[in-house]
Amino acid sequence: MTLFSNNGRPRVKICGLQTTEEIEGAVLAGADALGFNFCPSSKRFLSPESTLPLLSTLLLLPRRVTRVAVVVNPTPTELQFLLASRAFDTVQFHGDESPEFCRGSGFPVWIKAIRTSSYEFIERQVRSFQTPYLLLDSDSPSGAYGGTGTLINLSIAKRVIRAFPHKRFLLAGGLRPENVRQAISVVHPFAVDVASGVEDKLGRKAVEKIQALIKATREV
């Protein structure tokens, strides 16, 4: 199974969506993937119960749009709910999950997020997690699992992507319309992943910022 449309440019994943209006706005703006956060500690958290009204919307999305469930150290029961809903194409592990746990998720293809604490740490993680899709995120001093707006270390990300050309890396961490073009030019990722950088207030997406971000990625 292949995730993301094959469009020859950096793909764009908008993460932390919470409403039907945000979903429709991101799709119309041209987003390639949408992420939905199931981490209870996140300001963008969706409980399984609150997700139910969105499931019909997700099931009707164009096939070009990849639907991603973002989890942090989930239980097998939580993963089973996501699988059974049939509303998600893949799961993104953003916590301290083991390679064995990720392989046993039930999703044929999955994404593993790695914090860019050091090149050596990332290299070990890339070799341990046998998935084509890896997300490089900034290393937050607070220990938060993403969504902090802290800019990623572009030099480390660039080195990693050059070292593993057969992997498909998503670049995350502090990206926004004003800096995404430079980040892509330096790192050349497979995709960019943005949450806080397209919000007008914490947890709420601004369609005009999503449009501006996607426009900037197409001008690289």
Side-chain angles (χ1 to χ4, degrees):
M1 178 181 177
T2 300
L3 304 178
F4 302 91
S5 58
N6 182 19
N7 52 29
R9 58 172 171 78
R11 286 73 169 173
V12 177
K13 175 172 170 275
I14 303 299
C15 203
L17 298 161
Q18 299 185 77
T19 68
T20 299
E21 291 73 22
E22 290 181 347
I23 294 170
E24 292 174 348
V27 171
L28 289 173
D32 301 291
L34 308 179
F36 301 87
N37 199 320
F38 292 91
C39 173
S41 63
S42 172
K43 298 294 185 181
R44 304 168 185 87
F45 170 60
L46 289 173
S47 67
E49 296 76 17
S50 66
T51 309
L52 292 176
L54 297 179
L55 294 183
S56 58
T57 300
L58 297 182
L59 290 169
L60 293 174
L61 289 180
R63 292 308 305 165
R64 68 168 183 82
V65 179
T66 299
R67 304 158 299 174
V68 185
V70 180
V71 297
V72 173
N73 305 322
T75 66
T77 300
E78 290 167 339
L79 286 176
Q80 183 54 42
F81 165 79
L82 297 174
L83 273 170
S85 74
R86 304 186 69 175
F88 302 97
D89 300 298
T90 189
V91 62
Q92 177 181 309
F93 293 103
H94 218 102
D96 306 306
E97 303 88 0
S98 69
E100 293 75 21
F101 184 85
C102 294
R103 286 198 298 269
S105 68
F107 284 89
V109 182
W110 41 272
I111 303 166
K112 181 67 180 84
I114 306 172
R115 300 182 192 178
T116 54
S117 55
S118 71
Y119 174 80
E120 290 73 22
F121 172 78
I122 299 172
E123 182 182 35
R124 291 194 299 272
Q125 294 287 293
V126 173
R127 296 188 187 281
S128 297
F129 288 91
Q130 297 302 307
T131 175
Y133 299 94
L134 295 153
L135 183 144
L136 300 178
D137 202 358
S138 53
D139 187 27
S140 171
S142 66
Y145 294 103
T148 63
T150 303
L151 186 63
I152 189 171
N153 187 315
L154 297 180
S155 61
I156 292 178
K158 177 181 178 180
R159 184 180 174 190
V160 171
I161 290 176
R162 284 187 172 182
F164 297 93
H166 59 292
K167 297 289 188 179
R168 295 180 175 181
F169 287 96
L170 289 74
L171 187 70
L175 300 178
R176 56 187 189 276
E178 297 80 11
N179 66 12
V180 71
R181 189 184 311 170
Q182 179 190 8
I184 292 172
S185 297
V186 171
V187 180
H188 300 290
F190 171 78
V192 293
D193 186 302
V194 183
S196 63
V198 289
E199 293 177 347
D200 52 11
K201 60 181 179 178
L202 186 61
R204 295 303 175 192
K205 301 293 182 286
V207 173
E208 64 273 13
K209 290 187 177 182
I210 296 176
Q211 293 170 339
L213 179 104
I214 293 176
K215 181 176 184 292
T217 67
R218 293 174 176 171
E219 294 174 347
V220 178

